[in-house]
Amino acid sequence: MTDAVLTTREGDIVTWTLNRPEARNPISEPDVIEALENAVTQVNGDPSVRVAIVTGAGSAFSSGGNVKHMRDRAGMFGGSPADLRQGYRHGIQRIPLALYHCEVPTIAAVNGPAIGAGCDLSLMCDMRIASTAAVFAESFVKVGLVPGDGGAWFLPQAVGMARASEMAFTGDAIDAAKALEWGLVSQITEPEELLGAARALADRVAVNPPQVLRMTKKLLREGRHQSLESLLELSAAMQSLAHHTADHHEAVGAMLDRRSPNFTGQ
């Protein structure tokens, strides 16, 4: 068996590639879930990593759940209602929790169809770039299911409730151009340029102080559900730490000296 998720690293940027191209990269298999969870854990423990890119091998980003297993009621799709509930909670739902708590900024480089849970996987990332070959479908209704992996939480935050409802209630796919118009992705490229564009965006992020990047991401996450007062308190606490980093002093010095900064993560 090949690795479910390939991890490669260039400098301070890691790329996670879903590696089941013959099956269009489903993410409901235990080895994929574990691999993604472990990849995030590794990055969270490595302060030298500044950005992570998620993409798919072959022609698809991810087909989401394994439909054949749904038909056969195999794996996480088998058993009683109680078994299924536990299968989701201790299976595929580990992915949104892991990516939500990934400390570094994440970029989905959507190289092809992102269907069902595959669409939601792209939404779990902080930023999304799509190739012209990409399509997105919140297609759970097409197989008689609801979004079981957090899509009902992620999708409205990306495109607003009305458009999220249209995607979820119809199950229809939208192409890359529509995804750009709706704000689901921030840019589209030709297929051969996708990873280069994702890397260019990652480079623009990674030039910034790594500790501050992680704290900024934490504030953006917390801002989704905390009150303004609570977020201001957290911001003040994090800002006090940021002021005492060597990278802050380097940034100010470089700006005043009109030179490029050299951030070390200190």
Side-chain angles (χ1 to χ4, degrees), residues 1-6 17-27 29-32 56-63:
M1 289 287 288
T2 58
D3 292 339
V5 177
L6 298 176
T17 304
L18 303 175
N19 193 35
R20 293 285 186 269
E22 72 287 348
R24 299 172 68 80
N25 302 320
I27 60 170
E29 307 303 308
D31 58 344
V32 179
S59 61
F61 178 72
S62 174
S63 60

Side-chain angles (χ1 to χ4, degrees), residues 70-98:
M70 293 180 196
R71 177 197 63 194
D72 299 337
R73 298 191 176 184
M76 65 170 284
F77 304 116
S80 68
D83 293 331
L84 279 159
R85 176 173 177 266
Q86 291 296 89
Y88 273 85
R89 292 178 64 242
H90 298 289
I92 198 169
Q93 289 184 356
R94 288 158 53 193
I95 297 175
L97 290 172

